[in-house]
C-alpha cells in the first residue's frame, strides 16, 4: 500500500485516543480523552470503570479525530488499533470498534502492539538512525529495545517486577503526593534542586533487566527509620513536612536517573554498534531525566531523541505511525483480530 491515510485507535489502559496520519501530510490529528480524574480517587486505574468510560468516549473521540484531520471515513485506507498488551476490557472496546468500522467500510485492519507504538514514537518527529536503543519507561512497562528497522526490534532488557512509572506512582502514594506520581515528584525534586539526600539503592549493577520493587521497599524502610511512616497502619506520619517530601522526591528522581544510565551503559557494552538512543513512554515527559540521558549520549557521541510530551504518554498517533509502516509492508490482519 502506497502513502495510505491511516485512522488509528488506542484504548489499552485509561486513555481513549484516535489519530489520523498520512506520511506525506503528517500527523493530521491526535485526539485523546484521559480518564485520570475518574481513577484519581482510587490511586490507580480501576479496570471496570476504564472499560465503561472507553465505551462512552470511543465514538465521539474517533469522530473528533476525523473532523480535526479534515478527512472523512471515505478518505481512510486502513484502520490501526492497539490489540495488545493492556487491560482486556479496555482493549476489547477499541478492537471491537475498529473491527466494526473496518467491516462497514470494507477497510483493511491492522492490530498494533502498544509497546511497538511507544518504541517507534520518537520517529514521528525525528529521523532516528538504525540501529538504535530505545528506552521505554511508562506506568505499565519498562524495557530497552534494540531497534534495527521499522517493525524489527528485540528486547534487550525488561523489568522483572514494577515499571519505572509504577515506582514513581507507588512511592508518591506512600507520601500522599497524589496520582499520577511522576509529574508531582518532578516538581518537588526541582524545588530541591535535584539533590540526592538519601542515596536509595540503585539495585544490582550488573543486571541488564530493571527491578523497581526493591526501590519502593528501600524508600519505605528509610521512611520508617526516620519515624515518618507507620508500618502497622500504613500511614505517612509527616504529611505537613514539605521539606521531607521534597527530599524524598528529589532522591527518588536522581536514583531512577542513575538506574537508567547504568542500564544503558550495560546495553551499550552489548551493542556498541548503535547510533542513537531514544527515550519514550510517559516517564520520558520528565525534563530532568531527558537532560540526564541527553548529556549521557553527548559524552558518548551518540544522538539522543525523545518525543514531545503528547507522544510520550499513551496516544493514538504512535499507533497510527506503526500502522502506516505495517500497511506499507502489507502486514494486515483480518476481522478475526483478537486482543491479548
Ligand atoms: O505512557 P503512560 O501514559 O501510560 C502507560 O502506558 O503506562 O505513562 C504513565 C506514567 C505514570 O506512571 C506517570 O507517573 C509517569 O508516566 N509520568 C512521569 C512524568 N509524567 C508522567 N514520570 C516521571 N516524570 C514525569 N514528568
Ligand atoms: Zn503506554
Amino acid at each position: 500500500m502506497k502513502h495510505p491515510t491511516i485512522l488509528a485507535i488506542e484504548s489499552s489502559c485509561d486513555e481513549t485516543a484516535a489519530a489520523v496520519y498520512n506520511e506525506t501530510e503528517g500527523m493530521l490529528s491526535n485526539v485523546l480523552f484521559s480518564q485520570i480524574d475518574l481513577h484519581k480517587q482510587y490511586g490507580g486505574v480501576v479496570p471496570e470503570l476504564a472499560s465503561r468510560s472507553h465505551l462512552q468516549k470511543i465514538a465521539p473521540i474517533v469522530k473528533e479525530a476525523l473532523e480535526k484531520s479534515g478527512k472523512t471515513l471515505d478518505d481512510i485506507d486502513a484502520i490501526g488499533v492497539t490489540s495488545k498488551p493492556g487491560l482486556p476490557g479496555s482493549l476489547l472496546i477499541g478492537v471491537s470498534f475498529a473491527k466494526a468500522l473496518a467491516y462497514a467500510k470494507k477497510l483493511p485492519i491492522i492490530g498494533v502492539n502498544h509497546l511497538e507504538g511507544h518504541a517507534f514514537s520518537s520517529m514521528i518527529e525525528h529521523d532516528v538512525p538504525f540501529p538504535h536503543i530505545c528506552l521505554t519507561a511508562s506506568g505499565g512497562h519498562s524495557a530497552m529495545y534494540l531497534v534495527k528497522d521499522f517493525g524489527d526490534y528485540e528486547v534487550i532488557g525488561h523489568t522483572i517486577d514494577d515499571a519505572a512509572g509504577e515506582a514513581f506512582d507507588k512511592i508518591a502514594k506512600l507520601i500522599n503526593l497524589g496520582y499520577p506520581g511522576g509529574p508531582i515528584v518532578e516538581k518537588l525534586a526541582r524545588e530541591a534542586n535535584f539533590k540526592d539526600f538519601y542515596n536509595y539503592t540503585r539495585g544490582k549493577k550488573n543486571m541488564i533487566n530493571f527491578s523497581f520493587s526493591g526501590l519502593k521497599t528501600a524508600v519505605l524502610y528509610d521512611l520508617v527509620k526516620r519515624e515518618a511512616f507507620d508500618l502497622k497502619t500504613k500511614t505517612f506520619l509527616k504529611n505537613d513536612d514539605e521539606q521531607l517530601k521534597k527530599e524524598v522526591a528529589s532522591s527518588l528522581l536522581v536514583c531512577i536517573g542513575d538506574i537508567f544510565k547504568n542500564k544503558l551503559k550495560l546495553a551499550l557494552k552489548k551493542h556498541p554498534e548503535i547510533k542513537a538512543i531514544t527515550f519514550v513512554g510517559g516517564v520520558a515527559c520528565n525534563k530532568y531525566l531527558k537532560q540526564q540521558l541527553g548529556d549521557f549520549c553527548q559524552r558518548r557521541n551518540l544522538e539522543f531523541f525523545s518525543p514531545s510530551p503528547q507522544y510520550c504518554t499513551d496516544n493514538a498517533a504512535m499507533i497510527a505511525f506503526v500502522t502506516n509502516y505495517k500497511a506499507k509492508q502489507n502486514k494486515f490482519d483480518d476481522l478475526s483480530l483478537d486482543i491479548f
Side-chain angles (χ1 to χ4, degrees):
M1 201 178 253
K2 254 189 174 178
H3 307 307
T5 299
I6 305 291
L7 168 66
I9 293 169
E10 152 68 43
S11 70
S12 63
C13 190
D14 60 344
E15 262 103 20
T16 318
V20 176
Y21 177 64
N22 179 293
E23 199 176 303
T24 41
E25 294 170 80
M27 199 59 67
L28 299 172
S29 65
N30 180 32
V31 178
L32 179 133
F33 173 78
S34 168
Q35 303 175 358
I36 275 191
D37 289 339
L38 188 66
H39 303 291
K40 229 179 200 162
Q41 54 184 312
Y42 306 102
V45 178
V46 183
E48 165 80 15
L49 296 180
S51 317
R52 284 172 191 272
S53 173
H54 283 305
L55 194 54
Q56 284 175 349
K57 292 292 174 189
I58 188 121
I61 288 291
V62 169
K63 193 164 170 250
E64 193 184 332
L66 282 166
E67 279 166 8
K68 285 201 168 145
S69 72
K71 305 277 181 194
T72 69
L73 261 184
D74 292 330
D75 301 313
I76 301 298
D77 299 304
I79 294 181
V81 61
T82 305
S83 57
K84 63 181 177 185
L87 299 170
S90 293
L91 287 168
L92 274 172
I93 308 290
V95 169
S96 305
F97 195 89
K99 279 161 81 165
L101 269 184
Y103 182 66
K105 299 299 288 183
K106 296 190 175 57
L107 289 170
I109 189 166
I110 295 176
V112 175
N113 181 330
H114 180 84
L115 300 177
E116 187 170 335
H118 277 303
F120 288 85
S121 60
S122 51
M123 300 194 76
I124 299 172
E125 298 158 294
H126 309 285
D127 276 324
V128 185
F130 296 116
H132 62 258
I133 285 171
C134 171
L135 169 60
T136 303
S138 69
H141 330 278
S142 289
M144 284 185 297
Y145 301 97
L146 174 65
V147 185
K148 293 178 254 184
D149 205 341
F150 290 106
D152 184 5
Y153 59 100
E154 62 185 68
V155 180
I156 50 177
H158 60 90
T159 179
I160 56 171
D161 40 56
D162 292 352
E166 218 176 336
F168 280 115
D169 296 339
K170 285 183 174 173
I171 294 165
K173 201 174 170 184
L174 276 184
I175 56 171
N176 298 343
L177 293 186
Y179 173 83
I184 313 168
V185 167
E186 181 176 10
K187 183 177 166 277
L188 293 182
R190 173 160 290 112
E191 287 165 17
N193 292 320
F194 306 111
K195 256 180 70 182
D196 187 7
F197 296 88
Y198 302 135
N199 192 26
Y200 297 134
T201 175
R202 267 66 172 157
K204 290 188 188 137
K205 273 244 148 132
N206 292 317
M207 182 174 82
I208 197 155
N209 286 327
F210 296 96
S211 167
F212 288 105
S213 70
L215 176 57
K216 186 195 148 190
T217 312
V219 175
L220 175 66
Y221 280 96
D222 190 75
L223 288 170
V224 171
K225 197 179 78 192
R226 283 170 213 287
E227 293 176 356
F229 199 91
D230 181 39
L231 274 181
K232 266 196 200 130
T233 55
K234 293 195 174 108
T235 28
F236 179 54
L237 304 168
K238 300 271 177 80
N239 212 21
D240 298 330
D241 191 342
E242 290 305 318
Q243 183 57 27
L244 176 68
K245 287 182 182 178
K246 282 180 197 170
E247 291 179 3
V248 172
S250 190
S251 306
L252 171 67
L253 183 52
V254 175
C255 176
I256 289 184
D258 283 355
I259 291 172
F260 283 167
K261 283 183 275 184
N262 182 46
K263 300 299 172 195
L264 285 171
K265 267 187 210 161
L266 295 176
L268 279 174
K269 254 191 210 158
K270 253 179 119 177
H271 297 286
E273 75 278 16
I274 66 128
K275 297 179 177 141
I277 288 176
T278 66
F279 179 37
V280 305
V283 176
C285 290
N286 192 295
K287 291 201 185 88
Y288 167 84
L289 292 174
K290 265 189 196 182
Q291 177 79 44
Q292 289 291 310
L293 299 186
D295 293 349
F296 173 93
C297 287
Q298 206 176 22
R299 287 196 292 276
R300 289 165 178 79
N301 269 328
L302 286 168
E303 286 190 87
F304 176 73
F305 302 92
S306 191
S308 46
Q310 59 168 334
Y311 300 139
C312 283
T313 45
D314 284 352
N315 65 86
M318 66 187 191
I319 305 305
F321 186 81
V322 173
T323 306
N324 177 63
Y325 68 67
K326 283 187 168 234
K328 282 167 57 185
Q329 296 165 348
N330 289 315
K331 287 184 179 159
F332 297 103
D333 291 293
D334 57 35
L335 293 178
S336 66
L337 177 68
D338 201 356
I339 58 126
F340 178 73

